[in-house]
Coordinates of all heavy atoms in Angstrom, one line a residue:
M5 N 0.9 -1.2 0.0 CA -0.1 0.0 0.0 C 0.9 1.2 -0.1 O 1.7 1.3 0.8 CB -0.9 -0.1 1.2 CG -1.7 1.3 1.3 SD -2.8 1.2 2.8 CE -1.6 1.6 4.2
R6 N 0.7 2.1 -1.0 CA 1.4 3.4 -1.0 C 0.7 4.4 -0.2 O -0.5 4.7 -0.3 CB 1.5 3.9 -2.5 CG 2.3 5.1 -2.6 CD 2.5 5.5 -4.0 NE 3.2 6.9 -4.0 CZ 3.3 7.8 -4.9 NH1 2.9 7.4 -6.1 NH2 3.9 8.9 -4.8
L7 N 1.4 5.0 0.7 CA 0.9 6.1 1.6 C 1.3 7.4 1.1 O 2.5 7.7 0.8 CB 1.4 5.9 3.0 CG 0.6 6.6 4.1 CD1 -0.8 6.1 4.2 CD2 1.4 6.3 5.4
F8 N 0.4 8.3 0.9 CA 0.5 9.6 0.4 C 0.5 10.6 1.5 O -0.3 10.5 2.5 CB -0.5 10.1 -0.6 CG -0.6 9.2 -1.8 CD1 -1.3 8.1 -1.9 CD2 0.3 9.6 -3.0 CE1 -1.3 7.3 -3.0 CE2 0.2 8.8 -4.1 CZ -0.5 7.7 -4.1
D9 N 1.3 11.6 1.7 CA 1.5 12.5 2.8 C 0.3 13.5 2.9 O 0.0 14.0 3.9 CB 2.7 13.4 2.7 CG 4.0 12.5 2.9 OD1 3.8 11.6 3.6 OD2 5.0 12.9 2.5
H10 N -0.2 13.8 1.7 CA -1.4 14.8 1.7 C -2.6 14.2 1.0 O -2.6 13.5 0.1 CB -1.0 16.1 0.9 CG 0.2 16.8 1.6 ND1 0.1 17.6 2.6 CD2 1.5 16.8 1.2 CE1 1.3 18.1 3.0 NE2 2.1 17.6 2.1
F11 N -3.8 14.7 1.5 CA -5.1 14.3 1.0 C -5.4 15.2 -0.2 O -5.2 16.4 -0.1 CB -6.1 14.4 2.0 CG -7.4 13.6 1.7 CD1 -7.5 12.3 2.2 CD2 -8.4 14.0 0.9 CE1 -8.7 11.6 2.0 CE2 -9.5 13.3 0.6 CZ -9.6 12.0 1.2
P12 N -5.9 14.7 -1.3 CA -6.2 15.5 -2.5 C -7.2 16.6 -2.0 O -8.2 16.2 -1.4 CB -6.7 14.5 -3.6 CG -6.6 13.1 -3.0 CD -6.2 13.3 -1.6
Q13 N -7.1 17.8 -2.5 CA -7.9 18.8 -2.2 C -9.0 19.1 -3.1 O -9.4 20.2 -3.4 CB -7.2 20.1 -1.7 CG -6.3 19.9 -0.5 CD -7.1 19.4 0.7 OE1 -8.0 20.2 1.1 NE2 -6.9 18.3 1.3
D14 N -9.4 18.1 -4.0 CA -10.5 18.3 -4.9 C -11.8 17.9 -4.3 O -12.0 18.1 -3.0 CB -10.2 17.4 -6.2 CG -10.0 16.0 -5.8 OD1 -10.2 15.5 -4.8 OD2 -9.6 15.2 -6.8
K15 N -12.7 17.3 -4.9 CA -14.1 17.0 -4.3 C -14.1 15.7 -3.5 O -15.0 15.4 -3.0 CB -15.1 16.9 -5.4 CG -15.5 18.4 -5.9 CD -16.6 18.3 -6.9 CE -17.0 19.7 -7.4 NZ -18.1 19.7 -8.2
A16 N -13.0 14.9 -3.7 CA -12.9 13.6 -3.0 C -12.9 13.7 -1.5 O -12.4 14.7 -0.9 CB -11.7 12.9 -3.4
V17 N -13.6 12.9 -0.8 CA -13.7 12.8 0.6 C -13.4 11.3 1.1 O -13.7 10.4 0.3 CB -15.0 13.2 1.1 CG1 -15.3 14.7 1.0 CG2 -16.2 12.4 0.7
C18 N -12.8 11.2 2.2 CA -12.5 9.9 2.8 C -13.8 9.2 3.1 O -14.8 9.7 3.6 CB -11.8 10.1 4.2 SG -11.7 8.7 5.2
P19 N -14.0 8.0 2.5 CA -15.3 7.2 2.7 C -15.6 6.9 4.1 O -16.7 6.5 4.4 CB -15.0 6.0 1.9 CG -13.6 5.8 1.8 CD -12.9 7.2 1.9
I20 N -14.6 6.9 4.9 CA -14.9 6.5 6.4 C -15.4 7.7 7.2 O -16.4 7.6 7.9 CB -13.6 5.9 7.0 CG1 -13.3 4.6 6.2 CG2 -14.0 5.6 8.5 CD1 -12.0 4.0 6.6
C21 N -14.7 8.8 7.1 CA -15.1 10.0 8.0 C -15.8 11.0 7.2 O -16.4 12.0 7.8 CB -13.8 10.6 8.6 SG -12.7 11.5 7.5
G22 N -15.8 11.0 5.8 CA -16.6 12.0 5.1 C -16.0 13.4 5.0 O -16.6 14.2 4.5
T23 N -14.6 13.5 5.3 CA -14.0 14.7 5.1 C -12.8 14.6 4.2 O -12.4 13.5 3.8 CB -13.4 15.3 6.5 OG1 -12.2 14.6 6.9 CG2 -14.4 15.1 7.6
N24 N -12.2 15.9 3.8 CA -10.9 15.7 3.0 C -9.8 16.3 3.8 O -8.9 17.0 3.1 CB -11.1 16.5 1.6 CG -11.4 17.9 1.7 OD1 -11.7 18.3 2.9 ND2 -11.4 18.6 0.7
D25 N -9.9 16.3 5.2 CA -8.8 16.8 6.0 C -7.4 16.3 5.5 O -7.2 15.2 5.0 CB -8.9 16.3 7.4 CG -10.3 16.8 8.0 OD1 -10.9 17.7 7.5 OD2 -10.6 16.3 9.1
D26 N -6.5 17.3 5.5 CA -5.2 17.1 5.0 C -4.3 16.2 5.9 O -3.4 16.7 6.6 CB -4.4 18.4 4.6 CG -3.2 18.2 3.7 OD1 -3.2 17.1 3.1 OD2 -2.3 19.0 3.8
K27 N -4.4 14.9 5.8 CA -3.8 13.9 6.5 C -3.2 12.8 5.6 O -3.8 12.6 4.5 CB -4.6 13.3 7.6 CG -5.2 14.3 8.6 CD -5.8 13.7 9.7 CE -7.3 14.0 9.7 NZ -8.1 13.5 10.8
P28 N -2.3 12.0 6.0 CA -1.8 10.9 5.1 C -2.9 10.0 4.8 O -3.9 9.7 5.5 CB -0.9 10.2 6.0 CG -0.3 11.1 7.0 CD -1.5 12.1 7.2
C29 N -2.9 9.6 3.4 CA -4.0 8.8 2.9 C -3.4 7.6 2.0 O -2.3 7.7 1.6 CB -5.0 9.6 2.2 SG -4.4 10.4 0.7
F30 N -4.2 6.8 1.6 CA -3.9 5.8 0.6 C -5.2 5.6 -0.3 O -6.2 6.3 -0.1 CB -3.6 4.4 1.2 CG -4.8 3.8 1.9 CD1 -5.5 2.8 1.3 CD2 -5.1 4.1 3.2 CE1 -6.7 2.2 1.9 CE2 -6.2 3.5 3.9 CZ -7.0 2.6 3.1
L31 N -5.0 5.0 -1.5 CA -6.0 4.9 -2.5 C -6.7 3.5 -2.3 O -6.1 2.5 -2.5 CB -5.5 5.0 -3.9 CG -4.9 6.5 -4.1 CD1 -4.3 6.4 -5.6 CD2 -6.0 7.5 -4.1
M32 N -8.1 3.7 -1.9 CA -8.7 2.4 -1.8 C -9.5 2.0 -3.0 O -10.3 2.7 -3.5 CB -9.7 2.5 -0.6 CG -10.7 1.3 -0.3 SD -11.8 1.5 1.0 CE -10.7 1.7 2.4
P33 N -9.2 0.8 -3.6 CA -9.8 0.4 -4.8 C -11.3 0.3 -4.7 O -11.8 -0.1 -3.6 CB -9.2 -1.0 -5.1 CG -7.9 -0.9 -4.4 CD -8.1 -0.1 -3.1
I34 N -12.1 0.6 -5.6 CA -13.5 0.6 -5.7 C -14.0 -0.6 -6.4 O -13.7 -0.8 -7.5 CB -14.1 1.9 -6.2 CG1 -13.6 3.1 -5.4 CG2 -15.7 1.9 -6.2 CD1 -14.0 4.5 -6.0
D35 N -14.9 -1.4 -5.8 CA -15.4 -2.6 -6.4 C -16.1 -2.4 -7.7 O -16.8 -1.2 -7.9 CB -16.4 -3.3 -5.5 CG -15.8 -4.2 -4.5 OD1 -14.6 -4.4 -4.4 OD2 -16.6 -4.7 -3.6
E36 N -15.8 -3.2 -8.6 CA -16.5 -3.2 -10.0 C -16.4 -2.0 -10.7 O -17.2 -1.5 -11.4 CB -18.1 -3.5 -9.6 CG -18.3 -4.7 -9.0 CD -19.9 -4.9 -8.7 OE1 -20.7 -4.1 -9.1 OE2 -20.1 -5.9 -7.9
T37 N -15.2 -1.4 -10.7 CA -14.8 -0.1 -11.4 C -13.7 -0.4 -12.5 O -13.3 0.5 -13.2 CB -14.5 1.0 -10.5 OG1 -13.3 0.7 -9.8 CG2 -15.6 1.4 -9.6
G38 N -13.1 -1.6 -12.5 CA -12.1 -1.8 -13.5 C -11.9 -3.2 -14.0 O -12.7 -4.0 -13.8
D39 N -10.7 -3.4 -14.6 CA -10.4 -4.7 -15.1 C -9.3 -5.3 -14.2 O -9.1 -4.8 -13.1 CB -9.9 -4.6 -16.6 CG -8.8 -3.7 -16.8 OD1 -8.0 -3.4 -15.8 OD2 -8.8 -3.0 -17.9
D40 N -8.5 -6.2 -14.7 CA -7.5 -6.8 -13.9 C -6.3 -5.8 -13.7 O -5.5 -6.1 -12.8 CB -6.9 -8.0 -14.5 CG -8.0 -9.2 -14.6 OD1 -8.9 -9.0 -13.8 OD2 -7.9 -10.1 -15.4
R41 N -6.1 -4.8 -14.4 CA -5.0 -4.0 -14.3 C -5.1 -2.7 -13.6 O -4.3 -2.2 -12.9 CB -4.4 -3.7 -15.8 CG -3.9 -4.9 -16.5 CD -3.6 -4.6 -18.0 NE -4.8 -4.1 -18.7 CZ -5.0 -3.0 -19.4 NH1 -4.0 -2.2 -19.5 NH2 -6.1 -2.7 -20.0
I42 N -6.4 -2.1 -13.8 CA -6.6 -0.7 -13.2 C -7.9 -0.6 -12.8 O -8.9 -1.2 -13.4 CB -6.1 0.4 -14.3 CG1 -6.1 1.7 -13.7 CG2 -7.1 0.4 -15.5 CD1 -5.4 2.8 -14.6
C43 N -8.2 0.3 -11.9 CA -9.6 0.5 -11.3 C -9.6 2.0 -10.7 O -8.6 2.5 -10.5 CB -10.0 -0.6 -10.4 SG -9.2 -0.5 -8.8
E44 N -10.9 2.3 -10.5 CA -11.1 3.6 -9.7 C -10.7 3.4 -8.3 O -10.7 2.2 -7.8 CB -12.5 4.1 -9.8 CG -12.9 4.5 -11.2 CD -14.3 4.9 -11.3 OE1 -14.8 5.6 -10.3 OE2 -15.0 4.7 -12.2
A45 N -10.3 4.5 -7.6 CA -9.9 4.4 -6.2 C -10.4 5.6 -5.4 O -10.5 6.7 -6.0 CB -8.5 4.1 -6.0
Q46 N -10.6 5.5 -4.1 CA -11.1 6.6 -3.3 C -9.9 6.9 -2.3 O -9.5 6.0 -1.6 CB -12.3 6.2 -2.6 CG -13.0 7.3 -1.9 CD -13.9 8.1 -2.6 OE1 -14.3 7.7 -3.7 NE2 -14.1 9.3 -2.1
P47 N -9.4 8.2 -2.3 CA -8.5 8.6 -1.3 C -9.1 8.3 0.1 O -10.3 8.7 0.5 CB -8.3 10.0 -1.4 CG -8.8 10.4 -2.8 CD -9.8 9.4 -3.1
T48 N -8.4 7.7 1.1 CA -8.9 7.3 2.4 C -7.8 7.6 3.4 O -6.6 7.2 3.2 CB -9.2 5.7 2.4 OG1 -10.1 5.5 1.4 CG2 -9.8 5.3 3.7
H49 N -8.2 8.2 4.5 CA -7.3 8.5 5.6 C -6.7 7.2 6.2 O -7.5 6.4 6.6 CB -7.9 9.4 6.6 CG -8.2 10.8 6.2 ND1 -9.5 11.2 6.4 CD2 -7.5 11.7 5.6 CE1 -9.6 12.5 6.0 NE2 -8.4 12.8 5.5
A50 N -5.4 7.2 6.2 CA -4.8 6.0 6.9 C -5.2 5.9 8.4 O -5.7 4.7 8.8 CB -3.3 6.0 6.9
E51 N -5.3 7.0 9.1 CA -5.7 7.0 10.5 C -7.1 6.5 10.7 O -7.5 6.2 11.9 CB -5.3 8.2 11.2 CG -6.2 9.4 10.9 CD -5.7 10.6 11.8 OE1 -4.6 10.7 12.1 OE2 -6.7 11.4 12.0
C52 N -8.0 6.7 9.7 CA -9.4 6.4 9.8 C -9.6 5.0 10.0 O -10.5 4.4 10.7 CB -10.3 6.9 8.7 SG -10.6 8.7 8.8
L53 N -8.7 4.1 9.5 CA -8.8 2.7 9.6 C -8.7 2.3 11.1 O -9.4 1.4 11.7 CB -7.7 2.0 8.9 CG -7.8 2.0 7.3 CD1 -6.6 1.2 6.7 CD2 -9.1 1.4 6.9
R54 N -7.8 3.0 11.8 CA -7.7 2.7 13.2 C -8.7 3.5 14.1 O -9.4 2.8 14.9 CB -6.2 3.2 13.7 CG -5.9 3.0 15.1 CD -4.8 3.8 15.7 NE -5.1 5.2 15.6 CZ -4.3 6.1 15.3 NH1 -3.0 5.8 15.0 NH2 -4.6 7.5 15.2
D55 N -8.9 4.7 13.8 CA -9.8 5.5 14.6 C -11.3 5.2 14.6 O -12.0 5.5 15.3 CB -9.7 7.0 14.3 CG -8.4 7.5 14.7 OD1 -7.6 6.8 15.3 OD2 -8.0 8.7 14.3
H56 N -11.6 4.6 13.4 CA -13.1 4.2 13.2 C -13.2 2.7 13.1 O -14.2 2.1 12.5 CB -13.7 4.8 11.8 CG -13.7 6.3 12.0 ND1 -14.8 7.0 12.3 CD2 -12.7 7.2 11.7 CE1 -14.5 8.3 12.3 NE2 -13.2 8.4 12.0
A57 N -12.4 2.0 14.0 CA -12.5 0.5 13.9 C -13.9 0.0 14.5 O -14.2 -1.1 14.1 CB -11.3 0.0 14.8
D58 N -14.6 0.8 15.2 CA -15.8 0.4 15.8 C -16.9 0.4 14.7 O -18.0 -0.2 14.9 CB -16.3 1.3 16.9 CG -16.4 2.7 16.5 OD1 -15.7 3.2 15.5 OD2 -17.2 3.5 17.1
Q59 N -16.5 0.9 13.5 CA -17.5 0.8 12.4 C -17.3 -0.4 11.4 O -18.0 -0.6 10.4 CB -17.4 2.2 11.5 CG -17.8 3.3 12.3 CD -17.6 4.6 11.5 OE1 -16.6 5.4 11.8 NE2 -18.4 4.9 10.5
F60 N -16.2 -1.1 11.7 CA -15.9 -2.2 10.8 C -16.8 -3.4 11.1 O -17.3 -3.6 12.3 CB -14.5 -2.7 11.0 CG -13.4 -1.8 10.3 CD1 -13.1 -0.6 10.8 CD2 -12.9 -2.2 9.2 CE1 -12.2 0.2 10.2 CE2 -11.9 -1.4 8.5 CZ -11.6 -0.1 9.0
R61 N -17.2 -4.2 10.0 CA -18.0 -5.4 10.3 C -17.4 -6.5 9.5 O -16.8 -6.3 8.5 CB -19.5 -5.0 9.8 CG -20.1 -3.9 10.4 CD -20.5 -4.2 11.8 NE -21.3 -3.2 12.5 CZ -20.8 -2.2 13.2 NH1 -19.5 -2.1 13.3 NH2 -21.6 -1.2 13.7
L62 N -17.7 -7.7 10.0 CA -17.4 -8.9 9.3 C -18.6 -9.6 8.7 O -19.6 -9.8 9.5 CB -16.7 -9.9 10.2 CG -16.5 -11.3 9.8 CD1 -15.5 -11.3 8.6 CD2 -16.0 -12.2 10.9
N63 N -18.6 -9.8 7.4 CA -19.7 -10.6 6.8 C -19.1 -12.0 6.6 O -18.3 -12.2 5.6 CB -20.1 -10.0 5.5 CG -21.4 -10.7 4.9 OD1 -21.3 -12.0 4.7 ND2 -22.4 -9.9 4.6
R64 N -19.6 -13.0 7.4 CA -19.0 -14.3 7.3 C -19.4 -15.0 6.0 O -18.6 -15.7 5.4 CB -19.5 -15.2 8.5 CG -18.9 -14.9 9.8 CD -19.5 -15.6 10.9 NE -18.8 -15.4 12.2 CZ -19.3 -15.9 13.2 NH1 -20.5 -16.4 13.3 NH2 -18.6 -15.6 14.4
D65 N -20.6 -14.8 5.5 CA -21.1 -15.4 4.3 C -20.3 -15.0 3.1 O -19.9 -15.8 2.3 CB -22.6 -15.3 4.2 CG -23.5 -15.9 5.1 OD1 -22.9 -16.9 5.7 OD2 -24.5 -15.6 5.3
A66 N -20.0 -13.7 3.0 CA -19.3 -13.2 1.9 C -17.8 -13.2 2.0 O -17.1 -13.1 1.1 CB -19.7 -11.6 1.6
G67 N -17.4 -13.5 3.3 CA -15.9 -13.5 3.5 C -15.2 -12.2 3.4 O -14.1 -12.2 2.9
I68 N -15.9 -11.2 3.8 CA -15.3 -9.9 3.6 C -15.4 -9.1 5.0 O -16.3 -9.3 5.7 CB -16.0 -9.0 2.6 CG1 -17.5 -8.8 2.8 CG2 -15.7 -9.5 1.2 CD1 -18.2 -7.9 1.9
V69 N -14.4 -8.2 5.1 CA -14.5 -7.2 6.2 C -14.8 -5.9 5.5 O -14.2 -5.5 4.5 CB -13.1 -7.1 7.0 CG1 -13.2 -5.8 8.0 CG2 -12.8 -8.4 7.7
Y70 N -15.8 -5.2 6.1 CA -16.2 -3.9 5.5 C -16.3 -2.9 6.6 O -16.5 -3.2 7.8 CB -17.4 -4.0 4.6 CG -18.7 -4.5 5.4 CD1 -19.6 -3.5 5.7 CD2 -18.9 -5.8 5.7 CE1 -20.8 -3.8 6.4 CE2 -20.1 -6.0 6.4 CZ -21.0 -5.1 6.8 OH -22.1 -5.4 7.4
V71 N -16.5 -1.5 6.2 CA -16.7 -0.6 7.1 C -17.9 0.3 6.7 O -18.1 0.5 5.5 CB -15.4 0.3 7.2 CG1 -15.1 1.0 5.9 CG2 -15.5 1.4 8.3
L72 N -18.7 0.7 7.7 CA -19.9 1.6 7.3 C -19.3 2.9 7.1 O -18.5 3.5 7.8 CB -20.8 1.7 8.6 CG -21.3 0.3 9.0 CD1 -22.1 0.4 10.3 CD2 -22.1 -0.4 7.9
V73 N -19.7 3.6 5.9 CA -19.2 4.9 5.4 C -19.9 6.0 6.0 O -21.1 5.8 6.5 CB -19.2 5.0 3.8 CG1 -18.3 3.8 3.3 CG2 -20.5 4.8 3.3
A74 N -19.3 7.2 6.0 CA -20.0 8.3 6.5 C -21.3 8.7 5.8 O -21.3 8.4 4.6 CB -18.9 9.5 6.3
N75 N -22.2 9.3 6.5 CA -23.5 9.6 5.9 C -23.4 10.5 4.8 O -24.1 10.4 3.8 CB -24.3 10.3 7.1 CG -24.8 9.3 8.1 OD1 -24.8 8.1 7.8 ND2 -25.1 9.7 9.2
Q76 N -22.3 11.4 4.8 CA -22.2 12.4 3.7 C -22.0 11.7 2.3 O -22.6 12.1 1.4 CB -21.1 13.3 4.1 CG -20.8 14.4 3.0 CD -19.6 15.2 3.3 OE1 -19.0 15.1 4.4 NE2 -19.2 16.1 2.3
L77 N -21.2 10.7 2.3 CA -20.9 10.1 1.1 C -22.1 9.3 0.5 O -22.5 9.4 -0.6 CB -19.7 9.1 1.2 CG -19.3 8.4 0.0 CD1 -18.6 9.5 -0.9 CD2 -18.3 7.3 0.3
R78 N -22.9 8.6 1.4 CA -24.1 8.0 1.0 C -25.1 8.9 0.4 O -25.8 8.7 -0.5 CB -24.7 7.2 2.2 CG -23.9 5.9 2.5 CD -24.6 5.1 3.5 NE -24.5 5.8 4.7 CZ -24.5 5.2 5.9 NH1 -24.6 4.0 6.1 NH2 -24.5 5.9 7.0
E79 N -25.2 10.1 1.1 CA -26.2 11.1 0.6 C -25.8 11.6 -0.7 O -26.6 11.9 -1.5 CB -26.3 12.3 1.6 CG -27.0 11.8 3.0 CD -26.9 12.8 4.0 OE1 -26.3 13.9 3.9 OE2 -27.3 12.5 5.2
E80 N -24.4 11.9 -1.0 CA -24.0 12.3 -2.3 C -24.4 11.3 -3.3 O -24.9 11.7 -4.4 CB -22.6 12.6 -2.3 CG -22.2 13.9 -1.4 CD -20.7 13.9 -1.5 OE1 -19.9 13.3 -2.2 OE2 -20.2 14.9 -0.8
K81 N -24.2 10.1 -3.0 CA -24.4 9.0 -4.1 C -25.9 8.9 -4.4 O -26.3 8.7 -5.6 CB -23.9 7.7 -3.5 CG -24.0 6.6 -4.6 CD -23.3 5.4 -4.1 CE -23.4 4.3 -5.3 NZ -22.8 3.1 -4.8
N82 N -26.7 9.2 -3.4 CA -28.2 9.1 -3.6 C -28.8 10.3 -4.0 O -30.0 10.2 -4.3 CB -28.8 8.6 -2.3 CG -28.3 7.1 -1.9 OD1 -28.0 6.3 -2.9 ND2 -28.3 6.8 -0.7
A83 N -28.1 11.4 -4.1 CA -28.7 12.7 -4.4 C -29.1 12.8 -5.9 O -28.4 12.1 -6.8 CB -27.7 13.8 -4.1
D84 N -30.2 13.5 -6.1 CA -30.6 13.7 -7.6 C -29.5 14.6 -8.2 O -29.4 15.8 -7.8 CB -32.0 14.4 -7.5 CG -32.5 14.6 -8.9 OD1 -31.7 14.4 -9.9 OD2 -33.7 14.9 -9.1
P85 N -28.9 14.1 -9.3 CA -27.9 15.0 -9.9 C -28.4 16.2 -10.6 O -27.7 17.2 -10.7 CB -27.3 14.1 -11.0 CG -28.3 13.0 -11.2 CD -29.1 12.8 -9.9
D86 N -29.6 16.4 -10.8 CA -30.2 17.6 -11.5 C -30.7 18.6 -10.4 O -31.0 19.7 -10.7 CB -31.4 17.1 -12.3 CG -31.0 16.5 -13.5 OD1 -29.9 16.6 -14.0 OD2 -31.8 15.5 -13.9
Q87 N -30.7 18.1 -9.1 CA -31.1 19.0 -8.0 C -30.0 19.7 -7.4 O -29.0 19.1 -7.0 CB -31.8 18.2 -7.0 CG -32.6 19.0 -6.0 CD -33.4 18.0 -5.1 OE1 -33.3 16.9 -5.1 NE2 -34.2 18.7 -4.2
K88 N -30.0 21.1 -7.4 CA -28.9 21.8 -6.8 C -29.2 22.2 -5.4 O -30.3 22.4 -5.0 CB -28.7 23.1 -7.7 CG -28.2 22.8 -9.1 CD -27.9 24.1 -9.9 CE -27.4 23.7 -11.2 NZ -27.2 24.9 -12.0
E89 N -28.1 22.3 -4.6 CA -28.2 22.7 -3.2 C -28.6 24.2 -3.2 O -28.1 24.9 -4.0 CB -26.9 22.5 -2.5 CG -26.6 21.0 -2.2 CD -25.4 20.8 -1.4 OE1 -25.2 21.7 -0.5 OE2 -24.7 19.8 -1.6
E90 N -29.4 24.5 -2.1 CA -29.7 25.9 -2.0 C -29.0 26.5 -0.7 O -28.7 25.8 0.2 CB -31.1 26.1 -1.8 CG -31.9 25.7 -3.2 CD -33.4 25.8 -3.1 OE1 -33.8 26.3 -2.1 OE2 -34.1 25.4 -4.0
Ligands
ZN9 ZN1 -11.1 9.8 7.1

């Protein structure tokens, strides 16, 4: 895992805490976004893996460990793209 010293200051937010605070981060691959060589990735704070450990869950049937993401990210994904904030 490559660790970056600074979090990108574009629209990306950490999927765990929902902020783009300028702290060390890594690129978390996003499921179903690529082929065998390359895929999309989300900048994620390294310290959020430790600090938000209480949000991690184990799915025994699927054989995966996952983390519940910040409300902000879920709301953005579900937002109507034609509707502007006021
Ligand atoms: Zn974070």
